[in-house]
Amino acid sequence: MPPKTMFEKIWDSHVVSAEPGKPTVLYVDLHLVHEVTSAQAFDGLRMAGRKVRRTDLTVATVDHNVPTWDRALPVTDEISKKQLDAMKRNAEEFGITFFDIRSAQQGIVHVIGPELGYTQPGKLIVCGDSHTSTHGAFGAFAMPIGTTQVEHVLATQCLVQSGIKSMEIRVNDRLPRGVTAKDLILGIIGQIGVDGGIGYVVEYTGEAVRSLSMAGRITVCNMSIEAGARAGMIAPDETTFEYLRGRPQVPQGKDYDAIVQQWRQLPSDPGATYDKVVEIDANALAPFVTWGTNPGMVASVVDKVPDPASFATDTERAATERALKYMGLEPNIPIQEIKLDRVFIGSCTNSRIEDLRAAAEIVKGRKAHPDIYAMVVPGSTTVKREAEEEGLDVIFKEAGFDWREAGCSMCLGMNPDILQPGERCASTSNRNFEGRQGPGGRTHLVSPQMAAAAAIAGHFVDIRDWE
Amino acid sequence: MEPFVKVTGIVAPLDRVNVDTDQIIPALYLKRIEKTGFGEFLFNAWRKLPDGSPNPDFELNNPAYNGSTILVTRRNFGSGSSREHAVWALHDYGFRTVIAPSFANIFHKNCFENGLAPVILPEDVIADIMAKAKAANGYKLTVDLEAQEIYDEQGLSVSFVVHAEPEVNEFRRYCLLNGLDEIGLTLQIEDKIAAYEASRWGKSFTPARNAPLEARP
């Protein structure tokens, strides 16, 4: 047999139907559902008199719309409440597992999948959310889908796909001290561009990737979509197996040993070829800060805001000018002189217990800068509980940070956590698009460590110099 | 789904690269549980000034583009969030087709699900159409999906695809032309799905079924 990539192995084992001239029909092992992209899909099922084909492979929660204030308080936004109620009603009517707003396991769909062990190597996972690529960190093929496809998967448990190419991004050597998984992925997007991954499933390989924790791998795969990729994935290894051992949905005892044996077959075979290979030197990476309005507009913390005149084409110059105007930044000012109003630590990119520990280590015994309002939003109610058991909440609260309930929060501006027009925020989230964190808000993407240090200093600082 | 066969209409220009779906429809307006009514909020932050009045500097607010059904834009259109609401908003506003050098993957797929034809053309042709549309003098194009040809009254006539892969292009074009619903197509092979399910559990690479888990405290 010719050598196969991990992606090819997973693809091949999920083919339900492959006919010439038609897209391939693939079987879905896990369908994650949330309130924002599912209401119209369930409506479609109802109108056609269809059922959810596999309620046992479908799991729902609420995350995008939920306020992160005290869970005992009501949801005051009537339209949000309508959407949250619709999710609950649909989950009950169609009989699918649902982690409601008051559930002990509620959280961002991409945080609870891995932490409850639903996300496993070799699975084909879909969700009506672009950051579904997150789950590829476990050696799964995890793809985002639109609402019509959500309806399609609910009705058929299948995904219709075609024409996917593969790309290897090989990260050689190790990440220097102070350079995190977030910086790695921002560096990659800066290099290949926000459309560099269009049409590709990206497999991240190399020493720097192998030495990342699961939380780090999750951050990298999560932002694959920001490079335009269809999905990102990392081969499972001992780090993966250890993370999954004992999680609620993972087989236990002998069954665990047996499934690990299957998972060991997944990594790409020696000699397997990719349609494209990109090499990255981990040593050359630094802590990164985005300065513009897409995640590819990124600079090292020791650099300056670029000058539009330095770009080669009219289109790039115009895009840079537009971005700087929106961001309220002058060309050529040092990144570390950018003063901030807000700091957000959270989102499906960086809200896991490891992220909160890393931020707390920076914050411990210090106070937030008086000009800064900083908030920490755990990715799930489970993460929040763990953090509180470790006393991280106390560290943040003593430093003057706001400690919140779990949800998507200020990553996307569709719940009460938003920036005011003109406010500037250091954010551990994934998108710095115009208005992403609220109309007129200005977002700079950074790692949890960089965000925490910025909250103390009031401006960006090089975390490598942090005492 | 409404079939897409041939559309002739005014071309509105959006001369920007990497237009993301947060711009096409901001998250604030995703809370509706219907598929309709999103057109009002299309490009909301660009179209409207903070006080809600129309922004005179935004291209689509130029009365010359009233009633336009064709949007021409630059590469990587529809990047970012998977929200299908972006396609619903474009369609609800009145666009029937978007012309660009490339589309972000999920947006591209969402177009086919809703009968919005994503027309892919080379950069130089886009530049020509963009310049003509920007003249704001009622420039019209015809997008003929049956003939896979786009043409205007000034002599432009080029063939296009809706997907870069020839085989996929043929399939997607067929579905658009006939307004085919993918769920119906897949349910035609229900026997294959059942056969796959029957053979699947117990084979290699088989993930465990979800164990029961108390969802509420």
Side-chain angles (χ1 to χ4, degrees), chain A residues 13 27 40 53 56 77 83 98 103 147-149 152 199 230 249 262 316 322 414 431 434 436, chain B residues 16-17 22-23 27 30-31 34 46 75 80-81 84 105 109 186 190 192 196-197 206 210-211 215:
Chain A
S13 66
Y27 199 77
Q40 292 88 348
R53 184 177 180 90
D56 58 337
D77 180 327
Q83 209 169 50
F98 175 48
S103 158
T147 296
T148 303
Q149 284 176 289
H152 185 277
R230 291 191 181 220
Q249 296 300 323
Q262 293 178 20
E316 298 304 320
R322 257 197 75 80
M414 73 176 300
R431 288 190 175 132
E434 291 180 30
R436 172 74 180 185
Chain B
R16 303 178 191 198
V17 291
D22 272 82
Q23 306 318 314
L30 302 186
K31 294 174 185 174
E34 303 84 22
W46 289 347
R75 70 182 151 79
S81 160
E84 196 161 320
N105 291 137
K109 173 91 171 152
T186 304
E190 210 280 330
K192 284 190 179 179
Y196 178 89
E197 285 173 329
T206 300
N210 294 333

Side-chain angles (χ1 to χ4, degrees), chain A residues 152-204:
Chain A
H152 185 277
V153 177
L154 289 171
T156 67
Q157 202 57 31
C158 291
L159 179 70
V160 178
Q161 273 302 314
S162 51
I164 298 185
K165 294 173 286 184
S166 64
M167 183 191 299
E168 179 187 15
I169 296 185
R170 198 183 308 146
V171 191
N172 299 315
D173 227 323
R174 290 205 166 211
L175 293 172
R177 194 184 71 88
V179 179
T180 67
K182 182 64 163 284
D183 303 303
L184 169 58
I185 188 64
L186 286 173
I188 289 171
I189 298 164
Q191 183 168 330
I192 73 172
V194 291
D195 58 355
I198 288 188
Y200 290 96
V201 165
V202 174
E203 184 181 344
Y204 302 93

Side-chain angles (χ1 to χ4, degrees), chain A residues 349-417:
Chain A
T349 310
N350 282 123
S351 64
R352 292 169 186 82
I353 189 70
E354 295 86 346
D355 298 313
L356 303 193
R357 284 179 193 141
E361 201 176 312
I362 303 288
V363 167
K364 194 170 187 176
R366 294 183 165 92
K367 295 274 182 216
H369 189 277
D371 296 344
I372 301 268
Y373 167 51
M375 63 197 296
V376 184
V377 185
S380 71
T381 304
T382 307
V383 171
K384 179 167 190 272
R385 198 168 51 241
E386 275 183 80
E388 288 173 354
E389 282 163 13
E390 295 179 18
L392 304 185
D393 59 322
V394 177
I395 294 174
F396 287 120
K397 283 190 263 189
E398 283 182 355
F401 287 49
D402 198 357
W403 178 251
R404 314 283 294 187
E405 295 287 338
C408 295
S409 183
M410 209 166 65
C411 175
L412 85 164
M414 73 176 300
N415 56 67
D417 304 340

